[in-house]
Amino acid sequence: MQLQEFADRSHLDSSTIEAWMDAEWLVAHRPGHPFSEQDLARVRLIEDLKGDLGVNDEGVALVLYLLDQLYGLRCLLRDIQAMRITADDRTH
């Protein structure tokens, strides 16, 4: 989705979006359609961390970093499992 739609749906102003992108809490992924539904979910998480839980900016950065690491590991594990299944299919 484009920046304006993302801003409307996330209820964030452009300066907040820019600040969060500068902090690498949000990353525009693709030219033309830089934001996704996952980015909207990330905004909700950031808002929950900052608002409901009172986490400071450094804490938000740490939580997001750890979640990104966990997601990356889950993707890697899924790829390894898929390769294993493919290798098992070739041997049978």
Side-chain angles (χ1 to χ4, degrees):
M1 75 187 77
Q2 299 293 332
L3 177 60
Q4 186 58 51
E5 180 185 358
F6 182 73
D8 292 343
R9 292 183 61 191
S10 66
H11 307 289
L12 297 176
D13 58 44
S14 60
S15 63
T16 300
I17 293 171
E18 189 173 314
W20 288 8
M21 289 179 70
D22 288 345
E24 297 181 355
W25 294 358
L26 293 172
V27 179
H29 300 284
R30 298 171 287 157
H33 298 288
F35 297 102
S36 67
E37 295 295 324
Q38 288 177 325
D39 295 313
L40 287 173
R42 195 169 175 103
V43 164
R44 285 186 221 98
L45 172 62
I46 294 167
E47 289 174 334
D48 287 347
L49 290 170
K50 289 178 74 64
D52 295 344
L53 299 174
V55 177
N56 64 18
D57 288 353
E58 292 80 16
V60 170
L62 178 61
V63 169
L64 293 175
Y65 171 78
L66 292 173
L67 286 173
D68 290 342
Q69 293 297 309
L70 180 60
Y71 178 75
L73 290 173
R74 288 183 66 202
C75 290
L76 179 62
L77 181 58
R78 189 177 314 124
D79 291 346
I80 290 169
Q81 288 173 330
M83 287 189 306
R84 185 174 148 225
I85 290 169
T86 302
D88 288 347
D89 288 345
R90 289 184 190 157
T91 59
H92 291 102

